[in-house]
Amino acid sequence: MNKTLAKDTAHKTASRTISKAAVIGSGVMGSGIAAHLANAGIPCLLLDVVPKSLSPEDEKAGLSLADPKFRNKLAAKAIAALPKSSSAPLYAADFVERITPGNIEDHFHLLKDVDWIIEVVTEKLDIKKSILKQIEGVVKEGTIVSTNTSGISVNAMVEDCSEHFRRNFIGTHFFNPPRHMKLLEIIPGFDTDPQITAFMADFCSRRLGKGVVLAKDTPNFISNRIGTYGLLVTLHEMKENNYTVEEVDAATGPVLGRPKSATFRTLDLVGIDTFVHVAQNVFGSVPDGPEKDIFAVPDVLNELVAKGWIGEKGGQGFYKKVKGEEGSKILSLDLSTMDYNPSAKVRSASIEAAKAVKGSKKKIKAFLTTNDRYSELAWNVLKQVLIYSAEKLGEIADSIEDIDNAMKWGFNWELGPFETWDLIGLPESVQRMEAEGLVVPTWVKEWIAAGNKSFYEQKDGAVLHFYKGAYKEVETQPERISLQSLKAQNKIIRHNSGANLIDLGDDVACLEFTSPNNAIGADILVMIQQSAEEVRNNYRGLVIANEGRNFCVGANLMLMLMEAQSGDWDEVDDIIRLFQGSMMKLKGLEKPVVAAPHRMTLGGGVEACLPADRIIFSAESYFGLVETGVGLIPAGGGCKELALMTSDRYPNPDSDLQPELNRIFEMIAMAKTSTSGHEALRMYGRRHDSVVMNQDFRIYEAKQAVLEMERAGYQPKISGKARVAGRDGRAVLQVGALGLKNSGYISDHDYLIAKKLAHILTGGDVAPGTLVSEQYLLDLEREAFLSLLGEVKTQQRMQHMLSKGKPLRN
């Protein structure tokens, strides 16, 4: 979000807040937006129309046309479906209680009590104009009204409304599903008060966790305008040079820095009918010429829509999943015959070159510089998208950063168009484009002629970008701490092959994992120990965080399997002791430690967080001890920490530990993973743990927590003892597991794992109520881990996970 807007907000709208909202329209988008408002702790009113007539179900239930249950039916049905939805729009199922159903006939007057009204009705201008005119009649002074639209003119919607209403009106284009898609395009109208624009950009970033870009009121705004253009260009190129569906997807997916869904899987997911509607919106809004020609919907798309082959929601599209005797298989559409055939694997020198390197930037360069049929396809599409993005600068957005972010956050591209242009070489690629007959925008050529070789540049630790003919510093909110930027400023204190220790400023250090998938190996464990010593001597505290795709997928499974298969048990024992000792170093550090996990945080990743004084979860945190899935148990202190937490929660010697032990046992034995940071807080959280909505603020919030604890006179934790349930509690857990085995729900090997897990969590073969040390519990973990690692079935599970990426039940 623009830094200037944030400053304006702080000075001019400090007193403004949104404590209650309303959403008009309870369809997929409307209910999804209401759910995300509920995720952010904002009570929300969800209104829809009153059904025209009673259904047979209504009559059977004895409802009448005047019954509130009937009149609120559409909104109530949408709300009831939220906790069950496969897209998981809610962070926690009970957040649904923050949404109140109603209808626009009986409850429109309630809009005067809210601070933000979001219109999410049918994508038709006349309907939107009508509902906004009705809202104007009841809205209170100062209420912000916004429209959620994927491309209809924001100004046209309110042309019949008063100037006062237009000052408080703005476009807020959420992407679907609202919880999971980071992008939010904010579109001010001609008369929108700049303070409203500034406030909404700041509020939606901080409170809703969105990546906000400012778009102009043009057809389809930024992301859909460029994304739709790119997909249509791809279709034209495909037809021109006879590529298959699989070939196009192979050349326009991860090898080009795009999602695995690439082109045609993306269309199937979005809905081909939806895509056609979006394309037609631009076609009908731009003047005749080359751009309009591109946005003319290809005949094949119209044919698919006519057949009802509109993608996943229609059961088939460019791909079709069929079940046979040998299981499910994927068929792809042959566009020349309109028949489905088994999908063919695509291989080529350029694709293999991309696969051979790590990191999106290296993949893209390797792919495009290895000349063959597929890199040629990608280049022919890419060059047109880059030029189009440059042509639209100033029309759809003023900033190349907003265009790049819109494509990264809205279409999940790894790099935006201008970032990609820099990667492939700006002067060289422009020369090639012109040699191939393309017309490059004048401003791009003038920029190069002025001696510039890229749109972005790093200088004195700051990132600069092209803005209206000159370099301008990329402006960020103070809560966004970039480890990448700090590393560019030589702020690395220590480093090795698997981790860095980075100076965050204010004498706070950050431990960053950098190994493949951030998996924990000996290099990370050594850096943990070195970091603890460095912080102890020279810093106020430690943050554990990184900017990888995921925080940590666990320990290095391949290493463990290789050691086990070679029979080097002393080496395995040493690794486990190093792991446990490193976690104890973190826990015993005399300075505050705060972990800030995000997304997948599994196994050893969880164990690296539990010793911290506080955990600040990203709202999107998938947090869980999942070792049983590969036939093992947590041995880096995970079981020990949960046993200690159980004891601490029930300090009275007469308290019954069993119910909490049952919960923890089931959680670990079933390898349960949270579906959000809020659920992780309920599963694992301690009193001071918290959740941050905007993932980009995690490191800042963790740093502030370190400083807060240090200023308050931090007292290091004293190694404690746990009161355990002993052999009686172990018997309860094992009897439950035996029942599952006898009923066929778990295998013999699952039962063996469960018995060992029960032994650890209850303190082993001791009397109920016995106090045991942390080291005692760590020894139980290590013994169980070593014995399970020696089991053939465990090694089979590990091998299956490494090769197939999913658990084996044996």
Side-chain angles (χ1 to χ4, degrees):
M1 193 201 72
N2 187 286
K3 190 176 182 180
T4 304
L5 283 176
K7 288 180 178 177
D8 289 345
T9 302
H11 287 99
K12 299 178 182 178
T13 62
S15 61
R16 182 182 290 277
T17 187
I18 292 175
S19 57
K20 190 175 182 181
V23 174
I24 315 296
S26 67
V28 172
M29 245 352 257
S31 61
I33 291 171
H36 198 60
L37 292 171
N39 287 335
I42 302 169
C44 183
L45 183 66
L46 183 62
L47 305 183
D48 211 319
V49 297
V50 176
K52 294 181 179 179
S53 60
L54 294 169
S55 68
E57 291 78 12
D58 295 329
E59 292 175 347
K60 187 176 180 179
L63 301 180
S64 69
L65 294 175
D67 196 310
K69 190 172 181 181
F70 165 74
R71 298 178 69 80
N72 299 338
K73 182 172 76 169
L74 295 181
K77 185 178 180 181
I79 293 169
L82 289 173
K84 308 167 190 172
S85 171
S86 59
S87 66
L90 294 164
Y91 289 150
D94 58 356
F95 284 5
V96 76
E97 296 168 9
R98 298 170 180 170
I99 310 173
T100 303
N103 67 77
I104 60 175
E105 292 182 19
D106 303 327
H107 304 112
F108 221 64
H109 66 284
L110 297 178
L111 297 181
K112 70 181 187 301
D113 299 324
V114 305
D115 306 300
W116 180 17
I117 301 167
I118 310 172
E119 168 273 305
V120 199
V121 300
T122 304
E123 283 281 87
K124 292 184 178 178
L125 179 59
D126 56 342
I127 296 176
K128 286 184 176 288
K129 290 179 71 170
S130 174
I131 199 75
L132 289 168
K133 193 65 179 172
Q134 292 178 59
I135 291 172
E136 183 183 15
V138 298
V139 71
K140 72 179 179 183
E141 179 77 23
T143 295
I144 295 169
V145 180
S146 73
T147 177
N148 186 77
T149 174
S150 60
I152 297 176
S153 171
V154 168
N155 288 293
M157 291 183 203
V158 289
E159 60 187 4
D160 299 330
C161 296
S162 67
E163 183 182 346
H164 174 76
F165 183 81
R166 296 198 300 270
R167 281 203 301 271
N168 291 281
F169 179 73
I170 197 166
T172 50
H173 179 208
F174 289 84
F175 273 59
N176 190 35
R179 166 187 166 179
H180 297 286
M181 293 301 292
K182 183 174 182 177
L183 180 62
L184 174 63
E185 293 178 322
I186 286 186
I187 311 101
F190 296 141
D191 299 313
T192 304
D193 186 338
Q195 293 185 38
I196 297 296
T197 303
F199 170 78
M200 288 302 290
D202 188 70
F203 177 85
C204 292
S205 173
R206 295 176 190 278
R207 192 71 183 274
L208 302 185
K210 291 298 171 187
V212 174
V213 300
L214 293 184
K216 297 193 175 185
D217 189 19
T218 55
N220 290 6
F221 312 127
I222 303 173
S223 189
N224 278 342
R225 182 72 169 269
I226 293 175
T228 303
Y229 178 89
L231 286 165
L232 289 168
V233 165
T234 304
L235 282 165
H236 284 284
E237 185 67 22
M238 175 188 187
K239 181 179 179 182
E240 187 75 17
N241 292 293
N242 298 313
Y243 289 97
T244 66
V245 165
E246 300 100 311
E247 287 177 323
V248 170
D249 275 357
T252 59
V255 294
L256 201 57
R258 309 289 169 79
K260 289 181 180 179
S261 55
T263 298
F264 293 113
R265 290 188 190 279
T266 295
L267 283 171
D268 278 355
L269 288 168
V270 168
I272 297 168
D273 55 336
T274 300
F275 177 80
V276 166
H277 171 76
V278 172
Q280 288 174 335
N281 188 50
V282 179
F283 180 81
S285 303
V286 298
D288 292 343
E291 182 181 16
K292 193 180 187 77
D293 292 343
I294 288 291
F295 280 95
V297 178
D299 291 340
V300 66
L301 296 186
N302 288 321
E303 184 177 351
L304 289 172
V305 172
K307 289 176 175 288
W309 298 358
I310 55 175
E312 283 202 354
K313 62 186 177 183
Q316 62 193 90
F318 289 102
Y319 292 96
K320 180 180 180 181
K321 187 175 183 179
V322 296
K323 292 183 178 180
E325 293 182 359
E326 299 179 359
S328 298
K329 60 180 178 179
I330 303 296
L331 308 180
S332 61
L333 187 64
D334 183 334
L335 299 187
S336 62
T337 64
M338 298 305 283
D339 293 326
Y340 287 96
N341 301 307
S343 293
K345 188 76 172 177
V346 178
R347 299 185 185 279
S348 80
S350 61
I351 292 172
E352 294 307 311
K355 289 180 178 179
V357 295
K358 300 292 184 183
S360 297
K361 291 183 179 181
K362 291 181 179 178
K363 283 183 181 295
I364 295 169
K365 290 201 77 169
F367 177 56
L368 292 175
T369 55
T370 306
N371 295 323
D372 63 15
R373 172 176 165 79
Y374 302 106
S375 60
E376 182 182 359
L377 164 64
W379 166 250
N380 287 339
V381 171
L382 180 63
K383 65 184 180 183
Q384 296 181 71
V385 172
L386 299 184
I387 288 176
Y388 187 71
S389 300
E391 289 174 346
K392 294 300 134 186
L393 181 66
E395 178 184 337
I396 62 176
D398 285 330
S399 163
I400 66 166
E401 185 190 14
D402 277 342
I403 292 176
D404 279 347
N405 285 337
M407 300 317 299
K408 289 188 290 186
W409 297 338
F411 274 70
N412 293 319
W413 291 7
E414 293 287 345
L415 299 174
F418 296 97
E419 291 172 325
T420 302
W421 216 333
D422 281 356
L423 175 69
I424 64 176
L426 177 58
E428 302 88 343
S429 60
V430 165
Q431 187 176 16
R432 180 180 175 185
M433 290 171 184
E434 291 189 316
E436 292 174 357
L438 275 71
V439 178
V440 177
T442 301
W443 74 262
V444 175
K445 293 192 289 183
E446 290 176 346
W447 180 247
I448 296 171
N452 300 296
K453 296 183 178 180
S454 62
F455 294 113
Y456 291 88
E457 182 179 80
Q458 285 202 350
K459 186 176 182 181
D460 300 327
V463 179
L464 311 177
H465 68 101
F466 171 90
Y467 186 77
K468 296 185 177 179
Y471 274 124
K472 177 185 177 183
E473 184 175 345
V474 172
E475 298 172 330
T476 59
Q477 295 159 294
E479 294 88 350
R480 294 176 187 264
I481 293 178
S482 167
L483 298 182
Q484 183 178 356
S485 177
L486 290 171
K487 287 185 284 188
Q489 298 173 51
N490 297 316
K491 297 293 185 180
I492 295 178
I493 305 162
R494 289 175 174 267
H495 73 94
N496 66 18
S497 59
N500 295 315
L501 186 65
I502 301 169
D503 188 346
L504 295 180
D506 298 314
D507 294 326
V508 178
C510 178
L511 175 62
E512 175 198 35
F513 301 164
T514 60
S515 63
N517 296 316
N518 291 336
I520 297 176
D523 46 7
I524 288 179
L525 297 174
V526 168
M527 182 57 71
I528 287 173
Q529 301 219 13
Q530 292 177 351
S531 298
E533 286 303 312
E534 185 74 40
V535 170
R536 175 179 290 111
N537 295 326
N538 301 308
Y539 289 85
R540 298 165 72 180
L542 178 67
V543 169
I544 306 173
N546 63 68
E547 295 171 332
R549 181 180 292 275
N550 298 297
F551 177 79
C552 177
V553 298
N556 188 327
L557 200 61
M558 175 64 78
L559 174 64
M560 287 292 182
L561 180 59
M562 288 172 61
E563 298 290 0
Q565 290 178 337
S566 66
D568 197 344
W569 297 108
D570 288 340
E571 181 67 22
V572 175
D573 186 67
D574 287 344
I575 292 171
I576 301 169
R577 288 179 187 274
L578 177 62
F579 201 131
Q580 292 180 342
S582 300
M583 299 306 113
M584 290 298 286
K585 282 265 190 182
L586 284 177
K587 186 169 184 178
L589 186 59
E590 293 90 345
K591 305 290 180 69
V593 178
V594 179
H598 66 284
R599 297 187 62 81
M600 287 175 62
T601 304
L602 307 175
V606 172
E607 292 177 306
C609 293
L610 292 178
D613 297 285
R614 293 186 188 176
I615 303 175
I616 295 179
F617 296 99
S618 165
E620 296 296 343
S621 292
Y622 319 127
F623 197 84
L625 292 168
V626 297
E627 286 84 349
T628 59
V630 289
L632 297 167
I633 53 92
C639 296
K640 178 262 295 181
E641 284 297 321
L642 291 177
L644 280 170
M645 285 165 55
T646 301
S647 178
D648 290 344
R649 286 175 180 171
Y650 301 94
N652 189 323
D654 296 325
S655 299
D656 185 6
L657 302 176
Q658 197 67 50
E660 179 66 3
L661 284 173
N662 293 347
R663 183 188 74 84
I664 290 171
F665 175 76
E666 180 183 353
M667 189 170 72
I668 299 175
M670 302 299 290
K672 288 185 177 180
T673 301
S674 72
T675 58
S676 70
H678 290 276
E679 190 178 7
L681 198 62
R682 296 178 184 187
M683 291 168 65
Y684 290 91
R686 293 80 55 93
R687 186 162 55 95
H688 296 296
D689 296 341
S690 60
V691 177
V692 62
M693 283 291 288
N694 192 320
Q695 180 170 300
D696 296 333
F697 293 177
R698 289 176 301 111
I699 298 172
Y700 172 85
E701 294 295 344
K703 176 183 173 182
Q704 296 310 305
V706 164
L707 294 173
E708 174 195 325
M709 285 188 280
E710 194 266 347
R711 285 191 294 262
Y714 177 76
Q715 295 295 318
K717 294 183 290 293
I718 299 173
S719 182
K721 289 184 176 291
R723 182 170 65 93
V724 295
R727 60 181 70 96
D728 291 356
R730 180 183 63 185
V732 172
L733 297 179
Q734 291 183 352
V735 165
L738 180 61
L740 291 173
K741 183 178 83 78
N742 291 338
S743 300
Y745 289 105
I746 64 175
S747 68
D748 288 342
H749 195 53
D750 292 326
Y751 179 57
L752 174 64
I753 298 165
K755 286 196 299 180
K756 292 184 180 294
L757 177 61
H759 184 74
I760 300 165
L761 292 176
T762 57
D765 191 19
V766 296
T770 299
L771 293 176
V772 300
S773 68
E774 292 189 58
Q775 188 57 54
Y776 172 83
L777 291 170
L778 288 174
D779 290 342
L780 293 183
E781 284 187 2
R782 192 176 66 257
E783 291 164 6
F785 186 94
L786 285 166
S787 66
L788 286 170
L789 188 58
E791 295 282 340
V792 173
K793 289 188 176 180
T794 286
Q795 293 180 20
Q796 289 172 345
R797 290 188 180 192
M798 295 171 73
Q799 185 65 57
H800 192 269
M801 178 62 74
L802 287 167
S803 61
K804 304 292 186 182
K806 54 186 178 181
L808 170 69
R809 298 304 302 273
N810 59 354

